[in-house]
Amino acid sequence: MVIAIDIIKFIILILITFFMCQIISNKKKRISYIGTILICFSTAIIEYINMGLIEALIFGEAFIIGFHNLLNKVKFKYLWSILMIFSIIGFGLLSNLVFQISIGITILTISLYIFLKYHKEKTKEIEAKEYLKKVSSEENLEDYEIEAKKYKRLWIITIIGIVLAIIICVVFYKYEKFNLLENKNGSSYIMNYTYSVMLPFDKEIKFENSKCLATMISIFPIGLMISVYYIFRYENKHTEFLMPSILVSIIELIILISNKISWFIPNYILALGFALLQIYMIIYIFANIEEKLFSLKKASYISILGIIFILLVPFPNKIFSINSRIIPYCIFIVESIILLNYTDKRFCRLGSWLFTVICLFEFIGYIFTK
């Protein structure tokens, strides 16, 4: 029975994540597929399948889907309102506090992006309305006003429902203590995706507990580096997504490295939310940024220089020596080159195949060795 429930949760997670990635990628299916693979077929999903991570992801992403569709006046508006309300209840009551905070930070970041994007489009809509007053008939304008009033009423109902959902969560919330397995500095977990492919086959790869190294492939710091460089080069483009994502990523990175709140949220859990945000950034970069920043030659140089960054990050003793890090180096270089060439569709296709192979290899291996 437990296995059946886990399978159902996993299927729902795949569907919800795909539709979530569709929002970020502007309905580009291949890129949405890449995001779904990186999130749903990660070792973190297997490790924390019964501890609240999947519930946090499902209801968090469902909230964003409802929020996006309601703002953009997609059909069945009341359905999206109900989805938002129930998502808050599910997120608040069916997950664990550490995952709620870690994943919640990323969910709020993407929600802010959706709101900023809507605000920008709303400004254009107001300008169009002013134009409509000048050139349209009173009958057409009246229809527009009636529709606007209905939409405003729906949002009032939705906000009331959200407030009630939050009250329900506060009243019925049950705190469950999360057992801390280890308390290493957060820098220990930001690059563990480079050797996570080795984990199912060698449990000696660990700091104290190999379970803490379960992760998602985030290709950090390449996605963040591209975003920062792009913002400085093109100041007024894609700021609705990139600015909140960059700021939150930097703040989370500082918190992880400073080790300030590890007594409250384990760094290996906070790192999952950080990795999730990096994946959303990868999806956005592949789908929306059209300007080419790096040639293939420069991308190769940057990827190779990235090895220096890996050398600065703590690795488990089993793979502490430089020679034992050949696999992590190769994985990092290949994944980095693919992301740095985000404007080339050939690399996007290569990424969809390569990430599938790596993730499935890790995922299946982790299942059979867990």
Side-chain angles (χ1 to χ4, degrees):
M1 184 63 181
V2 174
I3 295 175
I5 293 173
D6 289 343
I7 292 172
I8 291 171
K9 286 195 300 184
F10 183 65
I11 293 171
I12 293 172
L13 176 64
I14 292 174
L15 294 173
I16 291 288
T17 302
F18 181 80
F19 288 121
M20 165 73 186
C21 293
Q22 285 278 81
I23 292 172
I24 299 176
S25 69
N26 288 322
K27 298 184 178 180
K28 294 179 180 177
K29 291 184 179 179
R30 183 181 291 274
I31 298 168
S32 299
Y33 165 79
I34 291 174
T36 303
I37 285 290
L38 290 176
I39 295 169
C40 298
F41 291 87
S42 62
T43 54
I45 293 298
I46 295 297
E47 185 59 51
Y48 302 111
I49 192 167
N50 292 314
M51 301 177 71
L53 175 59
I54 286 186
E55 289 79 1
L57 285 169
I58 288 174
F59 291 110
E61 292 181 333
F63 175 84
I64 291 176
I65 293 170
F67 185 49
H68 172 268
N69 288 342
L70 192 59
L71 281 177
N72 290 277
K73 302 179 182 179
V74 178
K75 288 181 180 180
F76 312 113
K77 297 183 186 68
Y78 282 96
L79 174 64
W80 307 123
S81 175
I82 293 170
L83 179 63
M84 287 175 64
I85 293 166
F86 276 95
S87 293
I88 291 173
I89 295 173
F91 188 86
L93 298 181
L94 298 179
S95 185
N96 189 286
L97 181 62
V98 293
F99 293 115
Q100 288 166 348
I101 295 174
S102 178
I103 302 302
I105 292 170
T106 299
I107 296 301
L108 288 174
T109 304
I110 303 301
S111 298
L112 178 59
Y113 150 66
I114 290 171
F115 176 77
L116 291 174
K117 184 180 178 182
Y118 164 77
H119 183 267
K120 185 177 181 180
E121 294 172 352
K122 187 67 176 177
T123 303
K124 294 179 180 179
E125 185 180 325
I126 292 172
E127 292 174 356
K129 180 182 175 182
E130 294 299 322
Y131 176 76
L132 187 66
K133 285 182 179 179
K134 296 177 181 178
V135 301
S136 184
S137 64
E138 290 185 7
E139 184 178 345
N140 289 336
L141 188 60
E142 186 178 346
D143 291 340
Y144 183 92
E145 294 290 348
I146 291 171
E147 183 65 26
K149 287 180 180 178
K150 288 181 180 179
Y151 188 59
K152 185 177 180 180
R153 192 183 307 122
L154 174 60
W155 264 109
I156 292 172
I157 294 171
T158 302
I159 291 171
I160 293 172
I162 288 173
V163 172
L164 290 174
I166 293 172
I167 293 172
I168 290 172
C169 290
V170 171
V171 172
F172 293 99
Y173 185 80
K174 291 182 179 180
Y175 174 73
E176 293 183 13
K177 187 177 179 181
F178 190 86
N179 294 325
L180 183 66
L181 298 178
E182 65 184 32
N183 192 23
K184 296 295 180 182
N185 186 279
S187 60
S188 303
Y189 309 106
I190 58 177
M191 296 296 292
N192 54 346
Y193 72 89
T194 59
Y195 55 87
S196 58
V197 70
M198 303 161 65
L199 295 178
F201 313 102
D202 191 346
K203 295 300 181 181
E204 294 301 313
I205 300 176
K206 61 183 179 179
F207 292 106
E208 294 175 18
N209 194 312
S210 61
K211 294 179 179 179
C212 300
L213 296 177
T215 187
M216 300 175 183
I217 297 176
S218 64
I219 320 185
F220 174 80
I222 302 300
L224 182 58
M225 184 204 73
I226 292 172
S227 301
V228 172
Y229 182 51
Y230 185 88
I231 282 291
F232 277 102
R233 190 165 177 180
Y234 303 96
E235 294 181 4
N236 298 317
K237 286 189 174 183
H238 301 290
T239 53
E240 297 88 1
F241 182 91
L242 294 180
M243 282 304 296
S245 299
I246 290 170
L247 290 173
V248 172
S249 295
I250 292 172
I251 291 170
E252 284 192 303
L253 193 58
I254 292 170
I255 292 172
L256 282 166
I257 294 174
S258 63
N259 211 32
K260 292 294 184 183
I261 62 170
S262 59
W263 59 271
F264 180 51
I265 305 175
N267 282 324
Y268 57 89
I269 300 297
L270 186 61
L272 292 179
F274 177 77
L276 179 65
L277 182 55
Q278 304 310 301
I279 292 173
Y280 289 150
M281 292 172 75
I282 291 169
I283 298 166
Y284 189 90
I285 290 168
F286 268 126
N288 299 287
I289 296 181
E290 298 176 348
E291 294 81 5
K292 187 175 182 178
L293 297 178
F294 312 99
S295 65
L296 179 58
K297 187 176 181 180
K298 287 183 179 178
S300 301
Y301 286 153
I302 292 170
S303 299
I304 294 171
L305 288 172
I307 293 176
I308 297 173
F309 183 80
I310 296 179
L311 292 172
L312 300 175
V313 176
F315 267 57
N317 290 331
K318 187 68 183 290
I319 50 175
F320 186 78
S321 66
I322 293 177
N323 289 335
S324 62
R325 298 189 190 185
I326 293 175
I327 292 177
Y329 291 158
C330 293
I331 288 175
F332 176 78
I333 289 172
V334 172
E335 291 175 349
S336 297
I337 290 175
I338 289 173
L339 181 53
L340 287 164
N341 289 280
Y342 58 87
T343 56
D344 193 328
K345 291 182 179 180
R346 293 172 299 176
F347 281 92
C348 182
R349 287 194 291 269
L350 175 61
S352 65
W353 285 102
L354 182 68
F355 293 135
T356 298
V357 171
I358 293 175
C359 287
L360 288 180
F361 187 74
E362 290 183 13
F363 189 80
I364 295 171
Y366 211 87
I367 288 174
F368 286 103
T369 58
K370 184 172 167 58

